[in-house]
Amino acid sequence: MTGPSDSGSGDPRHVPDLAGFAHTWARAVAGTSYVPMTHTEIEIHLRGLAQRLADALLAEPFTAVPGHQIGADLAAAGFVAPEALGRTAAVLAGRLLADVGLTGDEAAGRLGALLDAVVTGCVRGIRDRTLDEQEAIRRAALTAREQAEQALRASEVRLRYLALYDQLTGLPNRTLFADRLAALVADAPAHARIGICFIDLDGFTAVNDSLGHRVGDQLLIAVADRLTDLASAGGYLPARLGGDEFALLVTGTTCTDDMVKVADRALSTLRAPVRAGDHDLPISASVGIVERRTGGADPAELMRAADTALHWAKADGKARWTVFDAHRSARDVVRFRLSAAMPAALDRDEFTLVYQPLKDLGDGRIRGFEALARWRHPELGVVFPDRFIALAEDTGLIVKIGLRLLHQACRQAVAWQRGYPQPPFVSVNLAVRQIRHPSLVAEVAAVLDDTGLAPDRLQLEITESAVANDRTDTIDTLAALADLGVRLAIDDFGTGYANLSYLRHLPVHALKLANAFADCLRTPDPTDPTGEAILGTLISLGHTLGLTITAEGIETPSQARRLAEFGCDLGQGWHFGRPASTRRVAQLLTAEHGRPG
Amino acid sequence: MQRRPDWVPESVDMERPSAARIYDYLLGGSHNFAADRDVARKAIAAMPDLPVQAQANRAFLRRAVQYVAQAGIRQFLDIGSGIPTLGNVHEVGRRAVDGARVVYVDIDPVAVAHSRALVSADDGVTVIQEDLRRPDRIVDHADLCAVLDLDQPVAVLMVAILHVIPDTDDPFGIVARLRDRLASGSYLVVAHGTDDSRPVEVEELRRLSEKTATPMTLRTHAEVAPFFAGFELVEPGLVWAPQWHPDAADDIGEHPERSSNLVGVGRKP
């Protein structure tokens, strides 16, 4: 062998310059793998490896062992592409011996053994690195997936929260409240009882409108806080059902009174003003209560009952609680059904009139008839106006019904006009909403025109309350009606304001005295003549104002006689005839006038 | 399409190829899955020298980091950092300057998880999972603010990222928004794919990119230049990747345009 024999110290030896070798090596592996070094740095790095290879070749005794580490270091530096290893082997085999200055079989043998070790070390390095990287990326993927799943779970929790809780106040929302109620009803023993309060702030819209939603929101939060305190002290479930409506769910009640106590506490905790922004807002609330045995209860129906009771509390004047009452609710339901049936009833002409005579208290002859509305309901039979006129007023349908009935009454009066020399007038009631309706005057004129009724044969009855407020548009309407030649009468006079002074300014022609005045004549109290005195004064004052006076509710001959003595002009009541059909009316008129000519 | 709320997370689908892992494969790494290698092999079939071009891109990143570090930059914001293995910014940066601080940003949750495993113990380096399309969320991110001081110059690296932002997401507006948050003396480093030189092969790569979550929008030289609005381009301007401050003159090679990669570095005055 030709190499130096000294070995083992690891000292650098004098070897031929390896710069050329490193340069060739660097060019050979350039671009095969990404190595974060400049070309110069790569050359310097490979020159270091070349030096270690040369040292190994020249070492005595020779061992190929360092080759493993050199190969591993090559891989560690980033020369991991298959091409990098292949070209490295080619360069080493091609010129390393020559550059180191070795020749001969033994040197070739050493190189072969060294190459074996370098390739083995390098491939093992690459393989380990590949395995490490695969492990790292899989671990990263698992971590990422775990985090994504965690985030998903968190978002599901959040979604669930969003679905079941009110975002503003953090209270359970209507859904959660209803779910909890349904679960309680389903699971509770039959004898258990349950109570619900629906709590609605009074006048909350005004707060929002006048002070803004921020203040409104603060108010709602404050209310929620107070109800939460109340609920946690009593073990109730509070909820915000929406808007300014809250609720409490109470289990284990023993009777309705228990819920009334809860409602009282709720009302009292809400009584103190709420500090919102710069405002001390006075608040009040209305509460609807339902309390009953859990067995057989229907959760949705319980909610409806509480809601209904809440509406009653509002309608009854707010700032109070109202307990749900099945009977009241049933009446409400009937009213609602009647109300809902009215438009179709109008289409089917189910609203008709009956006529009650108004007789002259002097000669007892018929002077007119009051037209009274009836609803000929296909199932309920004849429905009286006290059951449906107010409903029609609420829905506004009274305007259409009233016009239809006015038309009907006028047609009837025209028939009398044609049949009898001194035809009676017809007196028709006008509802407040009709009077307020802008086209009333035009419609009345059109009806008169259509039917050909002489205007003075039509009397329109309006209630005292309709004119008592002195609205100028009402007075204008009455004046316009009077200009048509129609007679106007104040109906039920004496039940409301009984203010004679306003009558001076109104273009009215007649007063109809309320039943109460006739009543005081039926059972005269000799020790207290006040009733009669007032009646006499009213009649004479009415006459002073040029008004015709009609007394209603006359049931006995003595009442009629007494009123005649007071100078009352006309009388109406069972004594003179009950409301009757047109056929019956025709008989009455024929009896007075003879057969129509 | 219904927009998913922010707080509903992406799922992690390892069957879906990821640009970050494909790039890792092209650089010779093994941080990738079969789905990534499948796309990478098809891409190499379309452009056989693609691994070399990927290396050229990575080498540009290294040279640009060294360049701005020599210019005094100590802070780096690497957006679209992918899987920072060999030659990552914090290693290159720290070789160039002591105390370099680095924030990595990527949209890919796996890349982010991997990056965090690499740097978790390393103070002064952090990783954020965020979308470049929401630049304010990047610069206002608490983790970023803990590492970088945006009142001092920063190098913002957007290497092979802007070409995955379609025009409809207003990439120029995004860069302008970031620019406005940078202190004077900050740098913008951009590498952007183009089909100027090899339209047929690059089109095939673009088509393949549609399999990933980040399909490419390639732009011409004239379209890339406006990213540097408000910056002064340093020499030699917007050029092919091998032409930008090569380690040695002959590194440029005869056909630098084959990189299909336009690069430039701008300084905010």
Side-chain angles (χ1 to χ4, degrees), chain B residues 52-261:
Chain B
V52 176
Q53 307 311 348
Q55 289 175 35
N57 182 65
R58 193 72 176 163
F60 161 71
L61 173 66
R62 170 179 56 75
R63 299 199 302 277
V65 168
Q66 286 168 341
Y67 176 93
V68 297
Q70 276 158 25
I73 293 293
R74 296 290 176 273
Q75 308 191 99
F76 299 87
L77 174 57
D78 184 1
I79 305 177
S81 48
I83 295 173
T85 52
L86 278 181
N88 57 51
V89 172
H90 68 276
E91 282 172 2
V92 175
R94 283 176 177 190
R95 245 191 303 149
V97 290
D98 287 338
R101 308 178 75 77
V102 182
V103 172
Y104 292 112
V105 181
D106 208 280
I107 193 174
D108 181 339
V110 178
V112 168
H114 183 267
S115 306
R116 286 195 175 131
L118 272 186
V119 304
S120 56
D122 197 342
D123 194 28
V125 182
T126 198
V127 189
I128 297 170
Q129 185 181 343
E130 195 44 82
D131 185 341
L132 174 56
R133 285 168 294 193
R134 296 185 291 198
D136 291 339
R137 292 172 60 121
I138 296 175
V139 288
D140 293 333
H141 200 290
D143 292 353
L144 179 144
C145 299
V147 171
L148 301 184
D149 176 2
L150 291 184
D151 293 333
Q152 299 298 318
V154 178
V156 177
L157 313 174
M158 289 200 263
V159 176
I161 176 77
L162 288 169
H163 59 227
V164 301
I165 311 287
D167 287 350
T168 47
D169 286 330
D170 189 20
F172 300 98
I174 291 168
V175 173
R177 204 152 175 81
L178 288 170
R179 177 198 64 214
D180 293 345
R181 293 291 297 271
L182 298 179
S184 170
S186 292
Y187 283 88
L188 173 68
V189 176
V190 168
H192 195 296
T194 181
D195 51 4
D196 277 358
S197 54
R198 305 170 70 178
V200 178
E201 293 145 296
V202 171
E203 168 57 20
E204 183 61 16
L205 297 188
R206 192 200 58 72
R207 215 180 49 72
L208 282 167
S209 76
E210 286 175 351
K211 293 178 194 282
T212 70
T214 52
M216 293 198 288
T217 299
L218 298 149
R219 296 187 175 88
T220 64
H221 188 283
E223 287 166 342
V224 174
F227 282 119
F228 290 97
F231 291 94
E232 289 164 355
L233 267 175
V234 304
E235 286 301 315
L238 183 61
V239 295
W240 298 114
Q243 293 172 319
W244 198 91
H245 292 266
D247 295 323
D250 61 354
D251 284 355
I252 295 175
E254 283 175 35
H255 295 289
E257 79 285 356
R258 291 186 65 79
S259 67
S260 298
N261 192 13

Side-chain angles (χ1 to χ4, degrees), chain A residues 412-481:
Chain A
Q412 185 55 52
V414 167
W416 299 332
Q417 192 172 274
R418 289 188 185 135
Y420 307 98
Q422 287 174 303
F425 65 84
V426 69
S427 194
V428 180
N429 292 282
L430 282 187
V432 174
R433 267 185 100 139
Q434 287 180 275
I435 295 165
R436 305 257 192 278
H437 202 265
S439 55
L440 174 70
V441 176
E443 280 165 1
V444 170
V447 168
L448 289 172
D449 206 39
D450 267 11
T451 56
L453 181 67
D456 68 347
R457 295 295 87 191
L458 175 62
Q459 174 171 282
L460 295 174
E461 296 187 17
I462 54 186
T463 59
E464 209 181 343
S465 58
V467 292
N469 57 15
D470 246 1
R471 285 171 54 148
T472 52
D473 54 345
T474 306
I475 293 168
D476 291 348
T477 301
L478 296 183
L481 289 171

Side-chain angles (χ1 to χ4, degrees), chain A residues 380-393:
Chain A
L380 302 175
V382 175
V383 180
F384 283 73
D386 58 337
R387 283 184 66 192
F388 69 87
I389 291 294
L391 291 179
E393 283 243 33

Side-chain angles (χ1 to χ4, degrees), chain A residues 123-138:
Chain A
V123 170
R124 180 167 290 130
I126 292 169
R127 186 161 174 273
D128 287 353
R129 182 174 156 147
T130 300
L131 291 171
D132 287 350
E133 290 187 356
Q134 276 285 298
E135 204 171 307
I137 196 68
R138 278 173 202 286

Side-chain angles (χ1 to χ4, degrees), chain A residues 31 34 39 129 133-134 158, chain B residues 7 30-32 58 86 251:
Chain A
Y34 177 69
H39 274 297
R129 182 174 156 147
E133 290 187 356
Q134 276 285 298
R158 187 156 166 214
Chain B
W7 43 268
S30 304
H31 305 93
N32 43 68
R58 193 72 176 163
L86 278 181
D251 284 355

Side-chain angles (χ1 to χ4, degrees), chain A residues 21 24-29 32 53 74 81-99 111 114-116 118-119:
Chain A
F21 178 82
T24 304
W25 193 4
R27 290 191 69 86
V29 297
T32 57
L53 287 168
L74 188 64
E83 293 85 350
L85 182 57
R87 289 176 197 172
T88 293
V91 172
L92 261 56
R95 63 179 280 184
L96 184 58
L97 284 183
D99 283 345
L111 180 61
L114 192 59
L115 254 178
D116 177 337
V118 167
V119 169

